[in-house]
Amino acid sequence: MPARQSSDPEPSHLPEPPSLPSDLPDADASTAEFETSPEAAHTEHPYDGSALPRSATWAPTRDAVEAVGQGAVLQRAFINYGEQVAAKFVYEQTLDAHAPISREFLAVVRAVYAEPRCEDGLGASAFKQAIEHLRAAGSVLVISRPPNGSRTFTAYALLAHLVEDGVINEVRPLSFGGSKHFPIKRLPHEHYCGYLLELPPDEDDFAVDDSFGGNLNRLVDRLERRHCRLIVLTRPGQWRRISHGAPEGVSPDLGTVRARDIAERWLLGQEPDFPVGRWLDHQGIKPLLTGQTPTDVLNLVYLILEGHRATESAVTEGSKTNQALRREVGDSPRPTFEKQVAEVVAAHNNWENELYAWHEPKGRSRTSFERNFLLASAVLRGDPVGHIYARAAKLTEHLDGVKVEVEGQREPGVIAMTRAIGAERQVDDTLTFKRPHWGDAVIEYFWNDRPLARTTFLKWLAQAPLVDTSTSREALEIINRDNRLSLAERVGQFALQMAVRHRNQTPLEEIVEEWYKHGTAKELWPLAVGLVDSAAIHAASAPYIHTMLLRWSSRSQPHLQRAVVEVCTGEFGRRHTAKALRRLRNVAAQGHRDVIDTLREAVRVLWGDATVRQMLFGYVVDWCKADATSRTVGHRTFTALALNSPSEAAGLPLLLQAVVEANADEEDAFRPTVQGLVTGWRTLLRQAAGPTGERDLDKAVFSWLDAVLERHELKPVVFDTLRQTVNLLGPEGPVLRDTLRTSAQWWVQGEDRPYSEEKEDLKRELSALLDQDLIARRNQPVAPQPSAAPSNRPTGDSDGDAA
C-alpha cells in the first residue's frame, strides 16, 4: 500500500530472517548447555587483538534485496499473499531464538543500509565509531531509539560489517526470556559471535529489572573470554530507567539518516543502473520524502520501482510490435517520464482523485452493482471472474438489500463489468488492474467513503470462504477446497492488513468470530489462529497485535478467548513467553469451559521456558485457590503440570522434573514450593473426576508414585506434599484422605497395573505416615479460633493449615 504515517513502535524493523544451514565449521555447535564445557575451557582466553580470516564477500541478489524490503513492510509482505517465494524466505520466522542469521540476509543489509552523515561532514560518523567500538572482544553497545527508529536494521548493519571484516563468524539473536532479569547463562558458548538482544517493552506488571545496566558489566567478561560482541535494543524511556551502572559510553547517539539516502540505497540495491537522481530530485517526488519514516520511504521506493519496471516492460513489448499495447499507452510504447512520476504520486495518494472520477462520472451515475464488482475484484484477486461476479451480487444484496439477478441477461455481463472497472481478463480467467496498486486503493477508498457500511462489508468478507460456492457451478467455475482455503488466506490477510493499518481490531474480530462458529475442528479456524500468530511475531505488525491480544484476553467472548490461548500456545508464546503468560492469566480469570483444555495445553508449552516457571506456577496456584476458577481452570492447568508430558509418557511429571533439575547456583533456578504443590493437589482431590469425566487425580497419583519408585530422592517431596494435602481439620480432611488412599490402592493393583511388592511396600509406608499425621492431629489441643472476615480462599489453603 502507499506510504502512511504510523505511530507504531518499531514498524521499520526487519523481520527476523529464517534459520538457514550455515557453511561455517562451528555453526553446528550445541546450544543446549549454556555453561562452558571443560573441553572448551582452555579456548577461553583474553582477546589478543587478531582478526579472523576475512570471510568471502557475499553479493546479494536482486531477489534477495527485494524480499528483505517487502518483508520489512507489513503491507508488502501480505499483498503477495505468501505466493512469492523470495518474500516467504524473509517473512517466515524461526522458532529457534539462537539460530544464526543467514549470510545472504546480512549481505543485503550491508548493501542497502544508509549510514548517518556527520553533521559537519568531517571525521568519522557515529556509525563508523560504533563499528570500531565493537571490534574489541567483549564490547557491548546499546541502541536506544524511539519508535520507528530502525534500531534493528542499524544493529544488523553494524554486525554485518563485523562479519564482513572477519571480526566475528556469525550473528545470532538472543531471547530475553520470561523473567525480569537476563541471566548470564543465556549467552550461548559459541566463540567469535555477535549477539542481538531486544529487551521486552514494559507492560502491565512486567518490566525489565532496574539492575540491567549494571549487570552488563558481568556480561562483558563472559563475552570477552569467548571473543563475542553484544548489541542491546531498547527504548529511550526504558533505558533511562535501567541504565544505572552501565559501562560508560555504551549507548552512543548514532545520528539520523536522510530519507533520500535511504531511498537511494534501496533503489540501487535492486537496480544498480537505476536513474536515482532523475527520480529522487524531481519536484513531484521530493515532497514525498520530506519527514518520512524508513517504512514510508520503503513504500515509496517500491512505487517508484514498479512504475519504472512497468515502463521498461512496455518498451520490451513495444519492440515486438504489439500494436494493441502501443495504442493503449499512446503513440510511443514508453510513457513520458512526467507521466511515470504522476502515476507514482497518484498511487502514493491512493489514487483518490482518479477513483473519485470513476465513482462519480460526469453525466451518469455508477450502479451499486458496478461499485460492488470493483470492490469484490479488489478483494478477491486471483479468483475466477465468474466467482467474483457471483460474490459481487451477494455483496450488493448485503449492502443495499437488493437482489441482483446475475443468472439471466438482465444485468450487465462479465465482459461489460470488467471493462467498466478498467480491468483486464487474463488467460486463466482472472482479473488484473492496469494501474499499480489500484486494487488496494479501491478498498481504501471504500473504507474511507462508506464508514457506515464497514461492518456489513466485513461480515460479507468473513463469510466469503465459508459458504459452498456452488453458486458458481452454473458458470462451470466451482471453487474446490484448495481454492476456498486460498481465498480464506487472502481474506484473512486482508483483514489483518486493515486492522493493523487502521488501528481497528474489528476486521480481525469478524474473521475470528465467523470462522469460530464454522467449527474449530474445521480447516478455517487453524488458518485464523495461524494468521494472528504470524502477525504477532512479524516486527511490523507485532506491536499492535500484542495490544490487541491483551484486550481480547480480558473480554468474555469465547471465540476471542480461544484465539488468544491458541496464539499463546504457538510461536508467539515461544518467542514472547512472559507476554503470553499474562494474557493467559486474563483468559483464566474468565473461566470459559470452551477454552479450558486449550489453556491446559498452553500451560504445558510455556512451561518449556525455564525463566517463566516461577511466575506460571504462581498463576496456576492462584487459579487453584480462587473459588471462581478452582474447579475449572485451576484443576485442569495444575493437572497439566502434575502429569507426564504427552510426548514423554514414561518420563517424570513436569513439576517433579523441575524439582530434580533445580540448581540453587543457577540464576533463574525454580523449585516448586511444597505449599504451592499442596494447594494444587487439594484441588485435584476435591474434584476427583475432571470436567470431562476423566480421573485426572488417579493419573496424577500413579505418575507421582511411579516417580518415587524410579527416583528415590523424590520420596521426601512427594510424601511431604501428599501428607500436607490431606492433613486438614474439619469434615473435609477424612474425605480427602480416603480419596488419596483409594487412588494409591488402585496404583498398587488395578486395571492394566500389575501388582508388585515394591509398590505395596511404598503404599504401606505412605499410609503409615498418613495415620501418624491423623493421630498427631487428633492429639493436638483444640485452640480457640479467632473471628475473621470471610475469605475467598478455599478451606485449608492457609499456611498454618497446610504446615
Side-chain angles (χ1 to χ4, degrees):
M1 291 295 295
R4 302 181 61 84
Q5 292 285 357
S6 173
S7 59
D8 293 354
E10 304 302 331
S12 62
H13 280 186
L14 291 176
E16 296 178 26
S19 172
L20 297 178
S22 175
D23 61 337
L24 301 176
D26 59 348
D28 60 349
S30 171
T31 58
E33 298 178 2
F34 295 101
E35 296 303 323
T36 307
S37 62
E39 294 78 8
H42 68 279
T43 64
E44 296 201 13
H45 49 76
Y47 181 60
D48 59 8
S50 61
L52 296 171
R54 188 180 181 91
S55 59
T57 301
W58 283 56
T61 64
R62 167 178 157 176
D63 286 346
V65 175
E66 185 166 358
V68 171
Q70 290 189 353
V73 184
L74 173 66
Q75 45 266 53
R76 295 291 173 184
F78 287 128
I79 206 69
N80 293 286
Y81 304 126
E83 296 172 359
Q84 182 176 337
V85 176
K88 290 181 70 175
F89 165 79
V90 177
Y91 175 72
E92 292 178 350
Q93 312 281 313
T94 172
L95 293 181
D96 184 358
H98 298 288
I101 304 300
S102 73
R103 291 293 186 91
E104 187 175 14
F105 181 88
L106 294 175
V108 170
V109 173
R110 274 182 54 86
V112 301
Y113 182 73
E115 297 181 13
R117 298 191 180 189
C118 300
E119 293 184 2
D120 57 4
L122 303 174
S125 67
F127 181 83
K128 288 185 169 59
Q129 292 176 14
I131 294 177
E132 294 305 314
H133 168 78
L134 287 169
R135 290 185 183 278
S139 55
V140 175
L141 184 75
V142 175
I143 300 180
S144 172
R145 287 192 170 180
N148 209 7
S150 288
R151 58 180 191 170
T152 305
F153 198 28
T154 299
Y156 278 136
L158 290 167
L159 295 171
H161 276 279
L162 299 184
V163 172
E164 177 72 13
D165 296 342
V167 178
I168 57 177
N169 269 338
E170 61 185 14
V171 176
R172 290 174 177 263
L174 286 181
S175 171
F176 184 84
S179 70
K180 62 181 180 179
H181 300 278
F182 180 76
I184 293 179
K185 80 180 188 72
R186 271 200 174 264
L187 287 176
H189 58 237
E190 275 75 16
H191 289 64
Y192 297 100
C193 188
Y195 297 113
L196 182 61
L197 173 65
E198 180 175 0
L199 302 187
D202 299 338
E203 179 184 279
D204 293 345
D205 55 350
F206 176 84
V208 176
D209 194 78
D210 293 348
S211 63
F212 178 83
N215 289 336
L216 287 177
N217 295 286
R218 299 169 59 198
L219 291 174
V220 168
D221 178 65
R222 180 69 59 87
L223 291 166
E224 185 175 7
R225 283 189 284 129
R226 296 176 181 173
H227 315 131
C228 294
R229 287 84 177 157
L230 172 68
I231 296 181
V232 179
L233 305 181
T234 182
R235 297 159 178 76
Q238 185 182 56
W239 181 241
R240 283 192 296 270
R241 181 178 61 79
I242 65 176
S243 62
H244 304 294
E248 186 177 355
V250 73
S251 180
D253 182 2
L254 298 179
T256 57
V257 186
R258 292 198 313 165
R260 189 193 185 283
D261 291 344
I262 297 174
E264 180 176 349
R265 293 300 295 268
W266 278 98
L267 288 168
L268 294 178
Q270 297 187 64
E271 301 282 353
D273 299 327
F274 191 87
V276 172
R278 189 183 188 195
W279 274 94
L280 299 185
D281 295 333
H282 191 281
Q283 293 304 311
I285 300 297
K286 288 174 66 174
L288 305 184
L289 289 168
T290 304
Q292 298 301 295
T293 67
T295 302
D296 298 329
V297 174
L298 265 181
N299 274 302
L300 181 60
V301 162
Y302 278 100
L303 290 175
I304 292 174
L305 280 172
E306 289 174 16
H308 175 73
R309 290 170 180 171
T311 301
E312 295 301 314
S313 176
V315 172
T316 301
E317 292 298 323
S319 65
K320 298 177 182 178
T321 66
N322 189 326
Q323 298 300 323
L325 182 59
R326 294 174 68 92
R327 286 194 301 272
E328 179 180 322
V329 300
D331 294 336
S332 169
R334 179 191 292 272
T336 65
F337 178 69
E338 293 300 324
K339 183 177 180 181
Q340 296 176 48
V341 172
E343 286 203 342
V344 168
V345 174
H348 185 271
N349 295 327
N350 279 323
W351 294 101
E352 185 169 302
N353 292 334
E354 291 76 6
L355 279 169
Y356 172 78
W358 184 90
H359 281 81
E360 308 295 339
K362 294 181 179 180
R364 58 159 295 190
S365 177
R366 293 286 181 189
T367 67
S368 61
F369 187 42
E370 285 179 316
R371 296 170 185 255
N372 291 327
F373 187 79
L374 175 64
L375 182 58
S377 299
V379 173
L380 304 179
R381 278 166 281 183
D383 281 3
V385 65
H387 180 243
I388 296 175
Y389 188 70
R391 299 309 300 170
K394 186 65 67 175
L395 178 59
T396 304
E397 186 176 346
H398 275 67
L399 290 178
D400 303 319
V402 177
K403 184 173 178 59
V404 181
E405 300 292 343
V406 293
E407 290 80 4
Q409 297 200 57
R410 178 181 304 176
E411 303 294 340
V414 166
I415 296 176
M417 297 300 292
T418 300
R419 294 190 178 186
I421 65 172
E424 292 181 340
R425 289 202 335 276
Q426 304 301 306
V427 293
D428 60 353
D429 215 22
T430 58
L431 298 181
T432 59
F433 293 109
K434 302 173 185 177
R435 291 168 166 171
H437 299 285
W438 181 262
D440 303 305
V442 166
I443 300 170
E444 194 77 13
Y445 187 93
F446 168 82
W447 192 265
N448 294 328
D449 191 47
R450 305 288 174 171
L452 299 184
R454 292 173 184 171
T455 301
T456 304
F457 168 69
L458 290 174
K459 287 186 179 297
W460 168 85
L461 189 70
Q463 294 171 359
L466 298 181
V467 296
D468 180 7
T469 51
S470 57
T471 52
S472 300
R473 185 174 287 113
E474 291 79 3
L476 303 181
E477 294 176 346
I478 300 173
I479 308 299
N480 59 30
R481 179 180 179 276
D482 292 340
N483 295 137
R484 282 202 310 115
L485 289 179
S486 178
L487 170 60
E489 184 177 358
R490 294 196 301 273
V491 166
Q493 289 169 338
F494 165 75
L496 172 64
Q497 195 177 17
M498 298 299 289
V500 174
R501 185 185 309 136
H502 293 282
R503 296 298 169 270
N504 188 329
Q505 58 198 20
T506 304
L508 277 177
E509 286 184 13
E510 289 290 344
I511 295 294
V512 169
E513 182 176 8
E514 290 296 332
W515 295 2
Y516 176 84
K517 290 190 295 186
H518 186 58
T520 56
K522 297 183 179 180
E523 64 270 12
L524 293 184
W525 176 254
L527 193 152
V529 172
L531 180 76
V532 178
D533 191 22
S534 296
I537 59 174
H538 190 287
S541 56
Y544 178 74
I545 298 299
H546 292 186
T547 301
M548 184 192 74
L549 289 172
L550 186 61
R551 292 172 180 168
W552 284 7
S553 68
S554 298
R555 293 172 58 180
S556 60
Q557 291 95 325
H559 60 280
L560 299 181
Q561 300 269 298
R562 177 75 176 258
V564 170
V565 173
E566 292 199 26
V567 170
C568 290
T569 311
E571 296 183 15
F572 168 72
R574 294 180 176 92
R575 287 181 174 271
H576 304 282
T577 312
K579 284 189 172 187
L581 191 55
R582 285 185 289 280
R583 284 150 183 77
L584 292 181
R585 177 193 60 187
N586 294 344
V587 171
Q590 304 290 333
H592 277 292
R593 289 186 176 274
D594 292 346
V595 301
I596 289 175
D597 285 337
T598 311
L599 183 61
R600 174 176 177 166
E601 179 59 27
V603 167
R604 284 188 181 275
V605 170
L606 298 186
W607 187 263
D609 187 338
T611 64
V612 301
R613 289 178 182 173
Q614 182 172 358
M615 185 185 301
L616 176 57
F617 183 69
Y619 286 167
V620 171
V621 171
D622 287 342
W623 299 336
C624 289
K625 288 180 179 179
D627 290 337
T629 56
S630 174
R631 295 181 177 274
T632 53
V633 174
H635 171 87
R636 301 298 272 175
T637 54
F638 183 80
T639 303
L641 300 180
L643 295 178
N644 311 78
S645 173
S647 60
E648 301 175 359
L652 290 175
L654 297 178
L655 288 170
L656 293 184
Q657 286 182 20
V659 172
V660 172
E661 297 168 359
N663 186 336
D665 296 333
E666 294 181 355
E667 295 167 275
D668 58 354
F670 167 68
R671 181 186 179 98
T673 62
V674 172
Q675 176 56 40
L677 295 174
V678 166
T679 300
W681 269 101
R682 285 179 180 164
T683 299
L684 297 187
L685 287 169
R686 287 178 179 131
Q687 190 181 19
T692 60
E694 297 178 356
R695 293 283 299 187
D696 288 333
L697 169 66
D698 295 333
K699 295 177 183 179
V701 170
F702 295 170
S703 298
W704 283 50
L705 295 182
D706 284 340
V708 174
L709 279 184
E710 296 173 9
R711 308 190 64 154
H712 294 290
E713 68 271 21
L714 287 173
K715 184 162 68 173
V717 66
V718 171
F719 277 17
D720 193 26
T721 297
L722 297 179
R723 291 171 65 185
Q724 292 192 38
T725 298
V726 301
N727 194 14
L728 292 170
L729 287 173
E732 188 179 29
V735 175
L736 299 187
R737 191 176 296 106
D738 289 344
T739 302
L740 177 59
R741 289 181 190 272
T742 302
S743 290
Q745 182 59 45
W746 286 349
W747 171 73
V748 173
Q749 186 173 18
E751 185 178 358
D752 298 327
R753 299 193 65 81
Y755 172 85
S756 72
E757 292 185 2
E758 291 83 2
K759 292 198 294 184
E760 179 68 35
D761 292 341
L762 192 65
K763 180 258 180 184
R764 287 176 179 172
E765 183 178 353
L766 174 61
S767 184
L769 292 172
L770 297 180
D771 289 341
Q772 290 179 18
D773 294 337
L774 179 59
I775 293 172
R777 171 72 75 180
R778 289 182 176 178
N779 290 336
Q780 288 179 354
V782 178
Q785 297 295 323
S787 59
S791 173
N792 290 329
R793 300 175 65 179
T795 303
D797 276 347
S798 66
D799 294 343
D801 286 340

